[in-house]
Amino acid sequence: MDHIFEQKSYKTEKKINLFDSTELPRFQKRKVVFISRDNVAAYTNKNEDYIDTCRRLYKRIIPNELIRNKLTELENKFNLNNLYHESLGVHVRHGNGEKYYSPLNNTWGVKPPSADKIFKAIKKPLDDNPNIKNIILSSDCNAVSNFIKEQFPTKNIIYLSQFVQDIGMGCNHTNSLFNQEFSSLKKTISLELEDQIVFTEILALSKCYALCGGKSFFFNTVKGFSECDPTKIYYLDNS
């Protein structure tokens, strides 16, 4: 993206909240309209909440054949098409040892949510929706999967995530770790393949009956592609 953005920060020139090239003549001459995931709120219509804005915009994203095929493979592997209607889609952004600094908030991260918070966040939708038999999980840390399996032994836990680094070794897209001694031990993963897998996981989770996740671009995208009742979206406090 460096050839698009020469500056460190980017702001839209105007609010294009009614973006629709078929109805707005002023957009028909444009070859591209760029909408950033960081600035979705700028496209909110009057009396439209954030989830509706996301869904209106994400409907315009059509996954290519490669992603659709990978999604089919994933669904066949776990028989997901027969499970979605009774499943809670869960995403836990753990960090897995990743280190970063936010100058804006003057805070260090990534600090994972406590085990108690993860347990309570998942238990709530299960208590509210006794029809849920499966938990379809995506996470950046294998320990999260092990913990959820221990805490909810009566549920069918399906852990989708692939190429997850060993505990404490961070995520695949950065080598910044709290414990730098682990850097040389990280597994080498193709970032292009990683992107394909992550997008596929997002699409799979979005099909679930109910959703649970914390603040992250991943979970925002899951909600954007999802058509589940907004009252069936539950939140994990990972602040």
Side-chain angles (χ1 to χ4, degrees):
M1 301 294 287
D2 291 343
H3 63 286
I4 298 178
F5 304 119
E6 296 179 356
Q7 301 177 353
K8 292 184 179 180
S9 61
Y10 172 81
K11 294 183 179 180
T12 54
E13 295 180 0
K14 59 179 68 176
K15 184 174 179 180
I16 317 175
N17 61 338
L18 295 176
F19 165 56
D20 189 333
S21 60
T22 61
E23 297 180 4
L24 302 178
R26 66 180 181 276
F27 291 126
Q28 292 179 2
K29 295 181 180 179
R30 298 189 181 193
K31 294 182 179 180
V32 175
V33 174
F34 182 83
I35 299 176
S36 168
R37 68 180 187 180
D38 299 311
N39 201 27
V40 169
Y43 302 90
T44 301
N45 292 326
K46 186 177 181 180
N47 299 323
E48 182 181 48
D49 63 32
Y50 183 77
I51 290 180
D52 288 336
T53 301
C54 288
R55 290 179 173 181
R56 174 168 56 82
L57 297 174
Y58 275 92
K59 282 181 180 178
R60 301 180 178 278
I61 301 175
I62 309 299
N64 64 20
E65 184 178 6
L66 173 64
I67 298 300
R68 294 198 301 271
N69 289 340
K70 285 190 176 296
L71 178 61
T72 298
E73 292 174 4
L74 188 66
E75 290 176 333
N76 290 341
K77 178 180 179 180
F78 294 108
N79 193 30
L80 296 181
N81 283 315
N82 292 323
L83 303 179
Y84 284 136
H85 69 291
E86 295 178 325
S87 295
L88 173 67
V90 175
H91 175 247
V92 178
R93 171 77 164 96
H94 181 276
N96 197 28
E98 178 188 347
K99 178 182 181 180
Y100 78 87
Y101 177 69
S102 171
L104 179 64
N105 300 314
N106 191 29
T107 57
W108 288 94
V110 177
K111 299 176 182 177
S114 67
D116 184 60
K117 285 186 176 181
I118 295 174
F119 172 77
K120 289 180 178 178
I122 296 175
K123 187 175 185 298
K124 174 63 173 172
L126 296 181
D127 290 343
D128 290 350
N129 304 276
N131 61 306
I132 292 178
K133 299 179 181 179
N134 317 288
I135 297 176
I136 301 178
L137 170 68
S138 179
S139 180
D140 57 357
C141 182
N142 292 324
V144 171
S145 173
N146 296 334
F147 173 75
I148 292 176
K149 289 177 181 178
E150 293 172 358
Q151 297 300 314
F152 302 99
T154 63
K155 301 300 180 181
N156 177 32
I157 313 296
I158 301 171
Y159 185 36
L160 299 181
S161 300
Q162 302 180 45
F163 311 127
V164 176
Q165 295 289 340
D166 293 336
I167 295 174
M169 306 236 181
C171 58
N172 291 322
H173 63 268
T174 177
N175 288 321
S176 181
L177 302 174
F178 276 106
N179 189 341
Q180 286 298 327
E181 294 180 3
F182 288 163
S183 296
S184 62
L185 302 176
K186 287 191 68 169
K187 294 177 285 189
T188 301
I189 304 296
S190 165
L191 293 184
E192 182 177 356
L193 179 58
E194 162 86 353
D195 289 343
Q196 296 168 9
I197 295 300
V198 169
F199 193 8
T200 303
E201 291 178 21
I202 286 172
L203 295 176
L205 287 186
S206 73
K207 296 186 178 185
C208 290
Y209 171 80
L211 302 174
C212 178
K215 183 179 180 180
S216 69
F217 289 124
F218 185 108
F219 193 59
N220 280 345
T221 309
V222 171
K223 292 184 293 182
F225 279 107
S226 174
E227 295 182 358
C228 81
D229 189 324
T231 64
K232 303 297 183 184
I233 300 178
Y234 298 79
Y235 293 92
L236 164 64
D237 179 9
N238 62 347
S239 58

